């Protein structure tokens, strides 16, 4: 008979094993989030160097659309640098912390069961709950790292220590909340992808609740308190610091762990509490091709990306008039969007088009990474056992990624244009901004091509494409402020376009980028034909 204590046997060994497996991923997440905060602390004092300039920014952030994308607006009456960072940066660093926690938990729990490794490990002297507890311990370590690095980044800018610590702890505890959520969703379904999807849906619902609640009234409404993403901002750092909202996060973490513990005792290893749906006896004709299979496997992901990008784009576009007014009062702010003499409104549209294109590039990487997941799960081996060649298989998946990326860019551009119609913009802005956003397709394809080439060489190397996305994002969004040499910025494929609507589009760079993307994809396809499959 297994004792209560025996349920946790070998937890320490599994913690060390998980830390060894994630020795590259976790530092990437932790220091990436810390770098985001360090940039804000370094750059914002340069752009908003006087109280008057910060107050102009506060007026901009008081609009409902800005509130939905940032925070409840504490401290807008006296917008200090600390209040600005707390109001505008915390949310956008909390969401990555939540994603890190979800992927970490699912990777070390449900994914292990799906691949059969959990059963192999439990054939040794390992307790029933050792794996989920070990995953939670690693999540605790990672989120503690996020809290420490974030707080240190803020104190490096001479911000108050207690308030900086509150910001860091708020981000870290919210990350732990979603680690608890993922522990529950990992008990519900048989597949890691579904478990991650359910947990990410909770993140999306929390974001929506926070946005609606914060926009309802200054400082947030009752609805805001139903969202864990709001609790970190409700600490009110740099305005009127209070610590008790952390009790909500702690209670939800403990509650989620207790629920997961109870659910885990009611299912078999490898099974989920929600029974898997049985498919049809015969597949539809659309599934008889690799392209149809790629569409079926990724249609939900594309729909989710499209919905999220469209909502964000509409909200961003609705800010165009407010941004123009703010730039008129603070010319330094205009440097974020356009060079001297250029229209700041066009610069704002161009910046948002670039930002959304970078997000679409991130989708492209995730789409190519599905090739790796299919290969490691054994699905690719099963497909290649039929008359489907390796070239046809990888080409079909890449073709779907290209079409989906074009679709997402179009949706993003339409969203910005439709949002701008709420202001003084004319109807023609919809078409202009949509074309400007779609013009970023070639650099997006270069990112996809890099991921495909790395995948072709070795499936595990495909994650290296994230480095290019991160590099392009950093220099695309902040390069102008940092005044870096052109040769540094031009490593990014997004740096080679004449950005619309600031300037007329040049065709030659587009053709060159497409040729590079096709060549990289060709390399990936050619190399993939000659390597062994990675079966995990």
């Amino acid at each position: 008979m297994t004792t209560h204590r025996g349920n946790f046997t070998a937890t320490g060994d599994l913690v060390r094993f998980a830390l060894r497996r994630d020795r590259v991923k976790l530092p990437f997440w932790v220091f990436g989030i810390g770098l985001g905060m360090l940039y804000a602390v370094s750059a914002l004092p340069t752009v908003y160097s006087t109280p008057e300039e910060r107050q102009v920014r506060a007026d901009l952030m008081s609009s409902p659309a800005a509130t939905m994308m940032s925070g409840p607006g504490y401290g807008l009456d006296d917008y200090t640098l600390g209040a600005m960072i707390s109001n505008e940066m915390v949310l956008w660093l909390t969401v990555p912390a939540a994603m890190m926690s979800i992927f970490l938990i699912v990777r070390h729990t449900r994914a292990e069961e799906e691949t059969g490794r959990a059963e192999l490990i439990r054939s040794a002297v390992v307790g029933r709950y050792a794996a989920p507890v070990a995953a939670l311990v690693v999540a605790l370590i990672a989120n503690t790292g996020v809290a420490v690095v974030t707080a240190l980044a803020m104190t490096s800018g001479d911000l108050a220590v207690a308030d900086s610590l509150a910001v860091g702890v708020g981000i870290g505890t919210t990350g732990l909340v979603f680690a608890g959520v993922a522990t529950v969703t990992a008990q519900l379904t048989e597949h890691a992808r579904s478990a991650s999807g359910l947990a990410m849906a909770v993140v999306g619902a929390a974001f929506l609740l926070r946005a609606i609640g914060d926009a309802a009234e200054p400082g947030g409404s009752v609805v805001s308190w139903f969202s864990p993403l709001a609790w970190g901002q409700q600490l009110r750092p740099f305005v009127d610091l209070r610590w008790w909202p952390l009790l909500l996060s702690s209670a939800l973490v403990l509650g989620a762990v207790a629920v997961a513990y109870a659910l885990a005792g009611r299912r078999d290893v490898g099974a989920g509490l929600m029974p898997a749906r049985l498919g049809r006896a015969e597949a539809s004709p659309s599934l008889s091709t690799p392209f149809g299979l790629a569409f079926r496997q990724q249609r939900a992901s594309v729909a989710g990306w499209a919905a999220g990008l469209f909502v964000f784009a509409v909200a961003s576009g609705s800010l165009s008039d407010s941004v123009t007014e703010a730039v008129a009062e603070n010319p330094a702010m205009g440097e974020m969007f356009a060079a001297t003499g250029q229209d700041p409104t066009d610069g704002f549209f161009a910046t948002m088009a670039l930002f959304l294109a970078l997000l679409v590039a991130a989708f492209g990487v995730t789409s190519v990474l599905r090739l790796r997941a299919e290969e490691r799960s054994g699905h690719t081996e099963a497909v290649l056992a039929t008359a489907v060649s390796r070239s046809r298989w990888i080409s079909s998946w890449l073709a779907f990624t290209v079409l989906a990326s074009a679709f997402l860019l179009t949706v993003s551009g339409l969203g910005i244009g439709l949002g701008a119609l709420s202001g003084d913009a004319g109807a023609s802005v919809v078409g202009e901004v949509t074309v400007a956003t779609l013009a970023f397709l070639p650099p997006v394809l270069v990112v996809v091509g890099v991921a495909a080439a790395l995948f072709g060489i070795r499936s595990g190397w495909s994650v290296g494409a994230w480095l290019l996305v991160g590099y392009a994002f950093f220099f695309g969004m902040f390069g102008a402020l940092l005044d870096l040499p052109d040769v540094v910025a031009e490593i990014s494929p997004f740096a080679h376009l004449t950005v619309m609507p600031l300037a007329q589009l040049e065709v030659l760079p587009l053709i060159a980028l497409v040729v590079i993307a096709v060549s990289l994809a060709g390399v990936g396809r050619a190399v993939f034909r000659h390597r062994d499959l990675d079966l995990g």
Side-chain angles (χ1 to χ4, degrees):
M1 178 178 179
T2 303
T3 64
H4 177 74
R5 186 175 181 181
N7 284 328
F8 302 96
T9 299
T11 298
D13 294 329
L14 292 182
V15 170
R16 288 190 291 274
F17 180 54
L19 289 174
R20 178 177 173 76
R21 289 181 63 192
D22 288 349
R23 62 187 181 280
V24 176
K25 289 182 179 178
L26 287 186
F28 181 82
W29 278 102
V30 171
F31 289 106
I33 294 172
L35 187 62
M37 180 60 80
L38 184 62
Y39 167 76
V41 172
S42 303
L44 290 180
T46 303
V47 180
Y48 306 98
S49 57
T50 67
E52 291 76 16
E53 291 172 348
R54 289 194 292 272
Q55 210 53 45
V56 172
R57 177 76 178 184
D59 294 340
L60 171 64
M61 300 312 296
S62 63
S63 69
T67 301
M68 293 178 72
M69 293 192 295
S70 55
Y74 287 118
L76 292 179
D77 294 337
D78 181 17
Y79 214 37
T80 63
L81 176 62
M84 180 186 294
I85 293 175
S86 175
N87 187 53
E88 300 178 30
M89 290 297 298
V90 167
L91 175 66
W92 294 104
L93 296 179
T94 301
V95 171
M99 294 172 62
M100 173 192 72
S101 301
I102 290 170
F103 296 149
L104 186 156
I105 292 293
V106 173
R107 169 178 163 83
H108 292 293
T109 55
R110 174 52 60 185
E112 290 293 278
E113 294 188 37
E114 187 175 2
T115 59
R117 282 193 291 266
E119 187 175 12
L120 180 64
I121 291 174
R122 290 185 62 175
S123 65
V125 185
V126 175
R128 179 180 182 87
Y129 302 114
V133 172
L136 285 169
V137 171
V138 175
L140 175 62
I141 293 172
N143 283 289
T144 301
V146 168
V148 171
V149 170
T150 304
L152 288 176
M154 297 191 74
T155 55
S156 69
D158 294 330
L159 295 174
V161 174
D163 297 88
S164 300
L165 184 62
V167 170
V169 173
I171 295 173
T173 52
T174 307
L176 273 180
V177 165
F178 287 98
V181 170
T183 308
V184 173
T185 60
Q187 314 304 318
L188 301 179
T189 175
E190 293 183 2
H191 304 293
R193 186 158 58 94
S194 301
S196 297
L198 288 173
M200 289 301 296
V202 175
V203 175
F207 191 99
L208 186 61
L209 278 175
R210 185 216 58 79
I212 295 173
D214 286 356
E217 59 184 84
S221 64
V222 174
V223 177
S224 303
W225 290 96
F226 287 95
S227 170
L229 290 176
W231 297 341
Q233 293 176 310
Q234 289 296 340
L235 294 173
R236 300 194 301 212
F238 302 102
V239 179
D240 183 18
L241 180 61
R242 56 185 180 183
W243 293 92
W244 64 263
L246 291 177
L247 295 175
L248 297 174
S249 303
S250 303
L252 185 52
V253 172
L254 294 175
V257 171
V259 170
Y261 185 91
L263 295 178
R266 288 171 169 76
R267 66 177 181 85
D268 294 328
V269 175
L273 291 173
M274 295 191 305
R277 291 188 306 170
L278 297 177
R280 298 176 181 175
E282 296 182 359
S284 64
S286 63
L287 284 175
S288 62
T289 64
F291 185 89
L293 178 61
F295 174 78
R296 179 64 176 269
Q297 293 282 57
Q298 300 197 65
R299 62 182 180 180
S301 172
V302 173
W305 274 90
L309 289 171
F310 184 75
V311 171
F312 182 83
V314 170
S316 301
S318 68
L319 293 174
S320 58
D321 287 352
S322 300
V323 169
T324 303
E325 295 172 3
V327 169
E329 298 186 40
N330 180 10
M333 183 179 172
E335 296 178 9
M336 297 177 63
F337 304 120
T340 302
Q342 291 180 309
D343 186 351
T345 304
D346 287 345
F348 173 71
F349 288 142
T351 301
M352 293 313 306
L354 171 61
F355 180 77
L356 290 164
L358 288 165
L359 293 180
V360 174
F363 160 79
V365 174
T366 63
S367 182
V368 175
L369 289 180
R370 285 300 306 275
L371 286 166
R372 180 195 181 200
E374 291 292 303
E375 185 175 342
R376 292 173 68 88
S377 65
H379 295 165
T380 301
E381 185 180 30
V383 172
L384 296 180
T386 66
V388 176
S389 67
R390 288 193 178 205
S391 295
R392 185 185 176 198
W393 182 76
I394 190 173
S395 297
S396 299
W397 278 74
L398 292 179
F400 174 80
T401 301
V402 171
L403 293 176
S405 298
F407 169 68
L408 293 178
L409 286 171
T410 303
V411 168
S412 300
L414 284 173
I416 298 173
L418 292 174
L421 290 180
S422 64
D424 296 332
S428 61
V429 73
V430 178
E432 293 172 358
V433 178
T434 300
V435 173
T437 309
L438 195 56
F440 281 106
L441 180 60
V444 169
L445 297 185
V446 171
V447 175
V448 172
V450 169
L454 293 173
F455 169 78
I457 297 170
R458 189 172 180 175
S459 66
W461 289 8
S462 53
V463 296
W466 284 117
L467 295 176
L468 181 57
V469 175
Y471 189 91
F473 183 86
F474 184 79
F475 288 99
M477 302 308 300
F478 310 127
L481 293 177
L482 298 175
D483 195 23
L484 295 171
D486 291 343
V487 67
V488 177
E490 288 179 357
I491 296 175
S492 166
F494 291 85
H496 299 274
L497 298 180
T498 50
V499 183
M500 298 172 66
L502 286 173
Q504 291 294 321
L505 190 65
E506 296 180 3
V507 177
L508 186 59
L510 296 179
I511 296 175
L513 289 170
V514 170
V515 170
I516 293 172
V518 172
S519 301
L520 288 168
V523 169
R525 186 178 65 176
V527 178
F528 176 67
R529 294 172 57 190
H530 300 287
R531 70 166 172 84
D532 294 333
L533 293 180
D534 179 5
L535 300 178

